[in-house]
Amino acid sequence: MKLILISLMLCLVACQPVQKKEENSSAYLPISAINIEVAKGFNIVETDSTFKMIIHSLSPKYQFEDSLVFPKKSLKKPFKHLINPIERIACQSSTHLIFINALNNTQKVKGISEMQYMPKDSLYQVLESNHVVEINKNGEANIEKLLAIHPDVFLVYPFEWQSDRFKKVNIKTLLVSEYMETTPLGRLEWIKFFGILLNESEKAATIFKEKSRKYEALVVPVDTSETIFFNLPFNDTWDMPAPNSISGNLLKDAGYQYIYANLGEGANDNLVQSKEKVWLDAMNAKYWLIIANRPQGYSLADLKQEETIYKEFKAVKDKKVIFCNTGYSPYFTQGIIAPDEMLKELLEIKSQGVDYAGVYFRYLK
């Protein structure tokens, strides 16, 4: 992709033109180079007067678009500006926080949703010591708490983005949809998006380059004998990730043969099966990967108690149930920017015994 050299002012395009420019114009944001390699959810388009970074949907079922504009020169058309450098950020998701933390800008986070569900690790302790506010209330952002921390920008998911609630109280939002990427490296490359936002583009590019180099060096061809399936049922249905998804491609790159590799085209459309069908399809799979929140010490015996039929599964009999306890591992936090480490563990565990225990994955025993 064409290398784009820019040293420009950071602006957020207003949905409607404002009547006059804001008094506080943005400072200049030096960006040495932007080269989007594998991410599909954002890209950069050049016009005569601007560079525009466009954030867009990767799902045909749900369309959205947002953009950041970097003027090459003074523009006559007014824009609603993000103050740069950005000093106060609110995040709808802890995944946003992980990118920000990797760029050493955690001190700028003033509010976050669902903080109570985060692992109680060192990052959580930093948030507590910084008196970061929990901005979630009954499943949606609490306007009063947002106004109290007066963020320069509120990073949101698409389902909150078009809410008039934020516009009415002048809370500036920016869409982030890294979770819709189809590959681990595609999601990782969103660190460049955050690098632009935080004036840390060079650092972001360095992190991506190093992590992607390590990841690509580990990728192996699929071994059709290494069959695997995902997760656990909920009531009478069994949801698994689509094969062309972050999780599906992570397993593929580790050489596993996903039993539903030929089903589902949409990257973000989970495969929903009846649990009876999965029992039949997965009974003889060599591995079973469970990514779930369970009590510490969750065991193979606990799994068998959930459904008596599980004891008939080959993966259970052979003690090849790979488990990621999301309540205690950093799978949904640090793992987002460490796909190389997760890939390494998924490769290692195949040749290890039941006592193998990585940061992300272990065998149930």
Side-chain angles (χ1 to χ4, degrees):
M1 181 176 291
K2 179 181 177 182
L3 193 64
I4 304 174
L5 302 178
I6 53 180
S7 179
L8 303 162
M9 183 170 63
L10 179 61
C11 304
L12 178 63
V13 177
C15 294
Q16 298 293 332
V18 295
Q19 296 302 311
K20 63 179 182 178
K21 291 185 180 180
E22 298 180 6
E23 293 181 2
N24 292 327
S25 62
S26 301
Y28 281 88
L29 175 65
I31 304 174
S32 60
I34 299 177
N35 183 18
I36 309 304
E37 300 174 45
V38 292
K40 304 297 183 183
F42 73 102
N43 63 294
I44 297 175
V45 176
E46 183 178 3
T47 68
D48 290 340
S49 58
T50 67
F51 291 98
K52 179 185 285 188
M53 183 167 69
I54 302 172
I55 304 101
H56 55 84
S57 174
L58 294 178
S59 171
K61 294 183 178 180
Y62 187 64
Q63 296 298 308
F64 56 81
E65 185 174 294
D66 198 359
S67 58
L68 287 169
V69 170
F70 307 85
K72 297 178 180 178
K73 56 186 178 181
S74 178
L75 299 178
K76 294 181 180 179
K77 183 178 178 180
F79 290 92
K80 183 167 63 178
H81 295 82
L82 284 178
I83 300 303
N84 181 49
I86 292 171
E87 297 296 341
R88 305 180 67 83
I89 302 172
C91 303
Q92 190 182 40
S93 171
S94 60
T95 61
H96 306 157
L97 172 66
I98 301 307
F99 289 106
I100 295 169
N101 184 61
L103 296 171
N104 299 322
N105 276 255
T106 310
Q107 76 281 359
K108 295 183 178 181
V109 176
K110 306 302 178 182
I112 190 168
S113 294
E114 311 293 353
M115 184 174 168
Q116 70 270 27
Y117 297 119
M118 292 179 58
K120 305 303 186 286
D121 54 13
S122 58
L123 179 55
Y124 183 91
Q125 293 170 10
V126 169
L127 296 179
E128 281 199 321
S129 65
N130 290 347
H131 305 292
V132 172
V133 175
E134 166 62 71
I135 58 174
N136 208 53
K137 181 181 180 182
N138 299 324
E140 63 180 24
N142 184 307
I143 292 292
E144 289 73 21
K145 289 185 176 181
L146 276 170
L147 288 172
I149 62 174
H150 46 87
D152 296 325
V153 63
F154 179 27
L155 304 178
V156 299
Y157 277 151
F159 46 81
E160 282 274 22
W161 179 57
Q162 296 186 16
S163 174
D164 288 335
R165 296 185 305 132
F166 304 124
K167 296 177 186 177
K168 289 177 180 178
V169 294
N170 198 31
I171 294 174
K172 299 173 184 178
T173 61
L174 181 61
L175 182 63
V176 184
S177 55
E178 88 297 332
Y179 67 96
M180 299 186 78
E181 292 292 335
T182 60
T183 66
L185 291 184
R187 179 172 61 180
L188 172 63
E189 194 166 24
W190 277 75
I191 197 167
K192 295 180 181 179
F193 171 95
F194 286 87
I196 293 170
L197 199 63
L198 297 167
N199 203 2
E200 297 283 4
S201 288
E202 291 187 9
K203 185 182 295 182
T206 298
I207 291 172
F208 178 75
K209 181 179 180 180
E210 181 64 16
K211 288 285 186 181
S212 60
R213 180 189 64 79
K214 290 180 179 179
Y215 186 97
E216 290 169 347
L218 291 169
V219 173
V220 297
V222 170
D223 182 340
T224 56
S225 70
E226 303 285 309
T227 51
I228 195 168
F229 68 104
F230 278 96
N231 296 338
L232 291 162
F234 180 75
N235 294 329
D236 293 328
T237 60
W238 201 311
D239 284 15
M240 297 191 202
N244 189 30
S245 64
I246 292 171
S247 298
N249 281 312
L250 178 64
L251 284 187
K252 179 181 177 182
D253 290 341
Y256 293 89
Q257 176 65 56
Y258 187 14
I259 65 170
Y260 293 129
N262 296 322
L263 294 182
E265 296 181 359
N268 299 289
D269 299 329
N270 280 356
L271 304 179
V272 182
Q273 313 274 10
S274 70
K275 66 179 183 180
E276 291 81 9
K277 176 172 172 46
V278 175
W279 290 347
L280 293 173
D281 294 343
M283 186 71 69
N284 294 313
K286 185 174 181 178
Y287 296 97
W288 182 356
L289 174 57
I290 299 174
I291 301 171
N293 190 339
R294 289 292 187 272
Q296 197 167 21
Y298 183 76
S299 68
L300 201 59
D302 294 324
L303 175 64
K304 292 176 185 178
Q305 288 181 355
E306 293 185 13
E307 290 276 6
T308 56
I309 196 172
Y310 291 162
K311 65 183 180 181
E312 304 300 329
F313 281 41
K314 176 178 173 56
V316 174
K317 291 178 180 178
D318 296 343
K319 298 182 179 180
K320 295 292 185 181
V321 180
I322 303 171
F323 182 54
C324 173
N325 194 337
T326 58
Y328 297 91
S329 86
Y331 181 84
F332 287 124
T333 53
Q334 190 64 26
I336 291 171
I337 59 166
D340 55 318
E341 296 172 18
M342 290 199 291
L343 179 59
K344 183 174 183 288
E345 287 191 12
L346 286 170
L347 287 164
E348 289 177 343
I349 201 168
K350 288 191 281 187
S351 61
Q352 301 295 318
V354 71
D355 291 327
Y356 178 86
V359 173
Y360 300 95
F361 304 103
R362 66 177 177 88
Y363 280 124
L364 284 183
K365 58 181 181 178

